[in-house]
Structures are given as structure tokens and as C-alpha cells.
Amino acid sequence: MTAELVRGQNHALPQTRLEIRVSAGAPVVAGATLGDERGTVHGAEWIAHPGSPQLPGLEVSRQAAAEHRLAVDLDALPEAVHRVTVLLALPLEAGGPTRFGAVASPFVAVTGLDGAEIATFTLTGLDTESAVAALELYRRQGAWKVRAVGQGYAGGLAAMLADQGVDGAAGLASSIQEAVARGLARSVAPPPPRTPEGDRVRHAGGPAAQGDGRPRATPQPGSPDAHPPQPVTPVAPATPSAGGPIDYAHPRRQTTAPPPPPPAAPPAQPGRPATPVAGDATGWSMDERLYNQIWGMFEDLARTAAAYRSAVDFAESRMDQELERALSDPRSRIGGAGDRAREQARAKRDELAGRAREVLDRDLAQLAAEAAVVEPALPAAYAGWDNPVWHAYRVPMEIPMALRIGDLHLPESTGMSIPLLVRLPLERGMWIDSGRTASEAATMTDSAQLRRLAMESAVLHAARMLAVYPPNEFSVHVIDPAGSAAAALAPLVGAGVLAGPSASGPGGVSSVLAQLTRRVDLVQMAIKARAADSLPPDLDPAEQLLIVNDFPHGFDDRAVTQLRYLADEGPSVGVHLLMVADREDASAYGPVLDPLWRSLLRVTPVADDHLADPWVGHAWTYEPLRTPPGSRVLEQVLERVAAARRTGHR
């Protein structure tokens, strides 16, 4: 029976391998401190946080998220540790909440590995606090208990760490927030969570209890799964903006809950997995159901990989502990006792790792079967260029919910990829990194080829956006200061789908930036004044995409400032950046450009493992989309887009 705790109440823990699940109404930073008998934290090495997520017996999330799962193995904690305090803090991101009183009350649950809740605690009554000690696990007379704390700190993370006796608390808090900012910059944004219960944000049931009813790749009860990532409920549509001739809200992001998926397949036979079906998720349309299903697959793959990695780490840790205990006894050093202890410890390690691999292989097979039926059913916006749906392409009459910009995979799933979908209209710009990275593909490609591939990728992204928008509702501008991208731009130029000639030289750069900056200013003023009808007649109401090649060549300080302004303010009023740049080329600007890079979603022209999922922060290998060799699919699609733009209809 679950114990629902109130502030100050405690409850005995029946087991030592636990998960601590956190649900909040906004992204929060989750961490934990280890304390001695008096609760004192002896330095930064006793704190698990996104910049240092693993300690013996403890693992926390690597980034801020609305959902967290912390893995705890009380038996693996150092002997000097008598208290584990779970900390929550709001990240210092621009535009985010600055106090817990402005978000839904966080909910914390201590569970077993099978998801069964042992104790729960809802942190009510918070107001100006931006950090809170949520609960603590403490050892008393050899037994572990959990206590609901709920102590908030208006002084934030620094005040909370200082209260626990941490030296240099302010500097450590700053480094934690910096690690969180880096994690957010490389993370793929998740669909926003739906909260049907109002202010109390939580997920009832175990890891398989998901809101869309679809089967999940979950670990078997009792398996060595110490740290699966947090579940995320599929997309909740956002509220459209108020009227006027320009409305940048997605027309199908309603606020009411969508219906469940229709029964599309017979129930699974006992002992066999359910038959996968395309669109097996909630949604108002097939496109939305597929979108939510793909995000569910993304989450499932992150979860099963995290479970496998944690189980292997656990097996290695237990082997080290058993060897240390065995070899610390002088009697084991005589005869063959030591050798037998080593063999038994390694055999136990191999058994645990083998069981974890069996669970991983089972879940990967289930996800691969689901991907095999989902991929052929995808609409053009979600499909790769090699999908036959593009051969029957017609210009749409409304924008889709999302757009595929590449594929993601993990080392454990090299034979299976997850489509990377970003919501439309774009909520952040993109940066195609034309520099040399540490990936194997980049090291095998020379610098000139990387720049060429980066610009070709930009053209493919722009073509996909043009293809999924209705006629004349999406415009593409290009800044190419030195004219070096002429060959890559040929498909767009030849089809006549650009808003104008590529801007070159300082004058061209200045003119395009001034035009788009003026547009952002005018639309923002019209929205604030609720006077959208007063916009000048020469203002193009279509969404705008600016492709910038070879940044910062041809940019003076004023142009750099305008570009930063467009990156920050443009997406909310329909102006988006697609930058092709090598960060090293802009190193002379130093940290001035750090906010620009962080505001953009970084992708690469070749395979690179730089993107993170929004649950536990795995490093995913990103694969850019390419047209099949010898195919004319790009030219054919752009020809149809151009024809529709000329006639104004499909």
C-alpha cells in the first residue's frame, strides 16, 4: 500500500534498490546530495547533479526536464553516507519560471524497480522558492527510511547547498546551472506534457502505464534495471493565438484531450507481444497519432538503453564490491580461495549482464517490428526522401504538425533509427555545423567537403519546409556573402522558389537582415497593440526562413547583433534561421555569440553523436537525410511547389 506523506512524515523502506520519480509542471533540475550522520555534505564529490550525474549507488538525470527518474542503490552507497537528499531547482533559462509558485506543485514518488509506489509526496505551499529539498532517505539503526521534507529556498540552489554545509556553494550552483544550460542546448525538445488532473502533475502506475494505451518496451519486474529514463506523455496541442490576418499558432494544437487510438489490431496472444500497428497512439488525426507514436518509440528506446546500461554498471559495481570484500579477508589469499572468489564474482557479473542483454534484445525486437509498420505509413512531412510517398507528392493545403529533419540511433540499436521530428511552426532555429567534429564520419571528410555537405543539407531542409507548407505560405531567403554556395543552391534557384536572389557582399547582408528585422519589429508591435490589421501591405505574411552561409564572413558587428535578435525574437513571429557555420570561424567574437549557438538546434552534415534525448540525456547519433543516389525526387518536388506557387493552388 502506498504511503502518501505530508511534510515531516517518514515511512520505512522495504527494499534498497529504488527509483525516485519526479513530475513537475515545468522543466526542473533534479539532483541529490550525500550526507553523513549529521547531514553534512563533504564537498562537491558528494553531490550528484547534471554535470556529474553518477556517484556510487546513485544516478540522476543529465539535464532539466519535467519528468525525472533517479536510480538509488542504498547498499552501494559508501559506508559514511547516512542520508540522501533529493534536490529540485528551476533552471536559469530565459523566459522560464523563476519561482515554484508559478508552476504546478511537484510530485515525488519513491518506487521499486517494477514501478510500484512505496511512498509519495506532493510539494505544496511553495511560492518564491526557486530550489527545494524534496525528500530524504536516511539510515537509522541500520534501517533505511524516507522522510518528506519540502524545504524551499528563495535564494535558489546556492542557498540550499550552503544550508547543507557545502563550501563554495555559489560557485558550485553556478557550474550546475551552466551544465544544465549546455544540456538544454543539445537536447531535442519533447512534446509538452498533458496534465488532465490539473495542478497535480503525475503518472499513475508503473512504467508501462502510458496515457495513449500503446504497448511500451518496459523492463520485467525484478530485472536489473536501475535507471530507465522518465516517461513523457505525448503532445498536448497548444492554444491558437488570437485572430488577425497573421496567426503563427499551429491550427491543430487544440487544448482538449484527443480521443484514444481506434482498435486496429486483435489483442496479443498470452505470452506474445502485441502486433504493432501504425498510428497506435492518441491524436485527433492520423498524422498526430503517428507523431505521438514516433515520440513514444523514441522514449521507449531511450528507456530500454538506459535500463541496459544501468544494469551492466550495476553488475560491474557488485563484482567490484564482492572482490573487495573477498580479498580483504587474509584467509582468502591462501590457497585457491581468492581465485574461486574472483570466478564467482565474474560469473555473477556475466549472469546479470546477460539477463540485461536479453531484456534489451527483446525490447529492440519489439521496437524494430513497430518501426517496420510505421515507416511505410508516414506522410511526406515525416518520411525520408527514399519513401515512395514523395513520388505521389501534392502540395498540402495546411501545414503538418511536425517535420522530419533526420534520424537518431544509439550504439545499442545501430540497426534501428528513430525519425527526428520537430514541431511546426519551428520553435527554434537550426545550425548546421560545417566544422570538423570528433565523429568518425567527420574525421574522414576534408574541410571543403564538410562545407559543401553542410550547405547541401541546408538546401534539403529548406526544400522539405517549402514542400510541407501550403502555396506561398513559406518564403526562403539566402545570405551567401562570397557566393560560394551557388552549386548547392542550384535546385532552389532553378525551381524559382527563393524569395529573391542570394544576398552577397556587405550590402546584400545588411539589406536582408534589415528587411527581416523590420518584419519582426512590426509584427511584434502589431501583436502587442492587438492591431494585426494595421500591418503595412508590403509585409509578406508568409513564414520566413533565412539561410545564412559561411557565417561570420561578410558580417560586421551590427549584422551580428541583428542575427542574434532574429534568433531570439524571430521564431515567435514567423522568422526562422538556418545557419551554416563553423563555430571556430567565429571564435574571435568569444562568448558574445554563445547565446546564439545555444538558441539554435545543432545538426551536422555527417553522422555525429551530439544530440541528447529530453529524458536522460543519452548521446544519440544524428544522421542527416539524403536523397537516394541518382534520384530526381528533390527536383520533382520543387517543380510541383513552384507550380503551386504560380497558380496559388495545388
Side-chain angles (χ1 to χ4, degrees):
M1 182 176 178
T2 303
E4 296 190 4
L5 305 180
V6 298
R7 189 173 278 108
Q9 188 177 4
N10 60 42
H11 184 74
L13 293 173
Q15 58 201 78
T16 58
R17 295 193 65 204
L18 306 165
E19 285 179 356
I20 299 174
R21 304 186 181 189
V22 178
S23 298
V28 297
V29 182
T33 60
L34 305 180
D36 59 17
E37 289 181 293
R38 295 177 296 176
T40 302
V41 179
H42 295 277
E45 63 274 11
W46 281 40
I47 304 174
H49 56 82
S52 179
Q54 289 183 313
L55 294 177
L58 180 64
E59 184 175 2
V60 304
S61 302
R62 291 166 172 79
Q63 57 200 50
E67 305 283 337
H68 291 274
R69 290 190 184 184
L70 284 64
V72 181
D73 182 358
L74 298 174
D75 288 339
L77 294 173
E79 291 185 6
V81 172
H82 288 259
R83 187 179 302 178
V84 179
T85 304
V86 176
L87 314 176
L88 304 179
L90 293 171
L92 301 179
E93 58 177 329
T98 58
R99 60 189 185 90
F100 274 108
V103 301
S105 298
F107 174 82
V108 184
V110 180
T111 77
L113 297 185
D114 59 356
E117 291 180 345
I118 299 169
T120 65
F121 176 42
T122 302
L123 285 78
T124 58
L126 298 175
D127 186 11
T128 60
E129 299 89 345
S130 59
V132 60
L135 55 77
E136 64 182 15
L137 312 178
Y138 65 98
R139 180 161 48 188
R140 183 69 53 81
Q141 296 178 348
W144 284 93
K145 295 183 178 182
V146 57
R147 177 187 291 121
V149 180
Q151 174 64 54
Y153 296 83
L157 192 56
M160 181 166 54
L161 294 175
D163 191 45
Q164 296 193 33
V166 179
D167 293 332
L172 178 58
S174 177
S175 67
I176 292 173
Q177 292 287 5
E178 179 66 21
V180 171
R182 291 195 301 268
L184 289 172
R186 63 189 287 267
S187 174
V188 179
R194 185 182 295 118
T195 59
E197 295 180 279
D199 287 343
R200 189 182 186 200
V201 182
R202 65 172 295 183
H203 292 277
Q210 300 295 325
D212 59 9
R214 62 189 291 274
R216 294 296 192 194
T218 53
Q220 294 290 339
S223 68
D225 171 11
H227 184 50
Q230 309 85 305
V232 172
T233 308
V235 65
T239 306
S241 59
I246 300 179
D247 183 359
Y248 295 103
H250 195 287
R252 291 186 286 119
R253 293 186 188 171
Q254 300 94 338
T255 55
T256 54
Q269 296 296 323
R272 294 186 179 183
T275 302
V277 177
D280 187 15
T282 57
W284 291 98
S285 65
M286 186 61 173
D287 285 4
E288 187 173 356
R289 291 198 294 271
L290 286 167
Y291 172 82
N292 287 335
Q293 185 174 15
I294 288 171
W295 268 93
M297 294 165 61
F298 188 8
E299 177 192 341
D300 287 349
L301 184 51
R303 172 182 299 164
T304 196
Y308 171 71
R309 294 179 186 182
S310 182
V312 172
D313 289 344
F314 171 76
E316 294 285 349
S317 175
R318 282 300 172 90
M319 181 186 71
D320 292 341
Q321 292 178 26
E322 291 174 2
L323 288 175
E324 183 178 355
R325 284 195 297 267
L327 298 180
S328 63
D329 184 354
R331 291 172 297 180
S332 66
R333 302 171 192 166
I334 301 174
D339 293 337
R340 287 193 299 272
R342 291 188 186 91
E343 292 175 2
Q344 291 172 358
R346 291 185 181 120
K348 183 64 175 177
R349 186 269 316 271
D350 294 343
E351 178 189 354
L352 291 174
R355 285 165 51 195
R357 186 72 214 190
E358 289 176 3
V359 174
L360 174 68
D361 291 342
R362 181 204 65 199
D363 289 350
L364 289 179
Q366 180 179 335
L367 286 168
E370 188 172 9
V373 299
V374 167
E375 190 72 38
L378 296 178
Y382 302 176
W385 286 111
D386 56 349
N387 192 306
V389 70
W390 284 105
H391 296 292
Y393 165 77
R394 298 183 67 188
V395 179
M397 296 306 294
E398 62 178 12
I399 68 173
M401 175 161 284
L403 179 72
R404 185 173 183 167
I405 62 169
D407 294 319
L408 298 172
H409 66 79
L410 291 171
E412 293 88 352
S413 63
T414 52
M416 176 193 169
S417 296
I418 300 293
L420 175 56
L421 302 181
V422 294
R423 292 196 301 272
L424 294 179
L426 292 175
E427 296 173 352
R428 89 194 264 201
M430 294 172 59
W431 161 34
I432 302 178
D433 190 349
S434 60
R436 185 176 300 280
T437 65
S439 72
E440 181 180 355
T443 56
M444 297 177 63
T445 309
D446 62 52
S447 297
Q449 188 177 5
L450 280 174
R451 293 178 185 274
R452 177 181 61 80
L453 291 174
M455 195 60 202
E456 290 176 356
S457 292
V459 169
L460 289 174
H461 287 306
R464 290 178 73 86
M465 294 181 206
L466 285 164
V468 302
Y469 271 78
N472 300 310
E473 291 192 17
F474 195 84
S475 297
V476 178
H477 308 260
V478 177
I479 289 179
D480 184 20
S484 60
L489 290 168
L492 298 178
V493 174
V497 293
L498 293 178
S502 299
S504 59
V509 171
S510 176
S511 175
V512 172
L513 291 176
Q515 174 190 345
L516 293 177
T517 301
R518 170 179 175 268
R519 185 187 188 282
V520 171
D521 290 339
L522 290 175
V523 175
Q524 283 186 337
M525 288 188 291
I527 291 175
K528 291 178 181 177
R530 299 182 181 275
D533 291 328
S534 65
L535 289 168
D538 65 333
L539 187 140
D540 182 4
E543 299 245 343
Q544 311 288 312
L545 177 71
L546 173 60
I547 301 176
V548 178
N549 183 42
D550 253 356
F551 176 81
H553 301 300
F555 283 73
D556 55 22
D557 290 346
R558 184 170 184 272
V560 169
T561 301
Q562 289 176 313
L563 198 67
R564 286 185 54 185
Y565 177 72
L566 292 178
D568 292 338
E569 304 294 335
S572 63
V573 291
V575 177
H576 313 285
L577 284 184
L578 179 54
M579 291 186 57
V580 178
D582 179 356
R583 189 168 182 172
E584 289 299 317
D585 291 344
S587 59
Y589 287 94
V592 173
L593 288 181
D594 285 351
L596 173 64
W597 304 121
R598 289 179 179 174
S599 69
L600 304 173
L601 175 63
R602 175 176 172 252
V603 295
T604 50
V606 295
D608 189 83
D609 59 349
H610 65 281
L611 286 178
D613 65 79
W615 301 287
V616 293
H618 286 318
W620 293 73
T621 297
Y622 169 82
E623 294 272 2
L625 297 177
R626 297 288 181 198
T627 54
S631 171
R632 294 197 69 255
V633 62
L634 176 62
E635 290 77 10
Q636 292 168 357
V637 167
L638 289 176
E639 287 170 4
R640 295 176 188 176
V641 170
R645 290 163 69 93
R646 288 192 297 268
T647 60
H649 57 75
R650 301 166 68 192

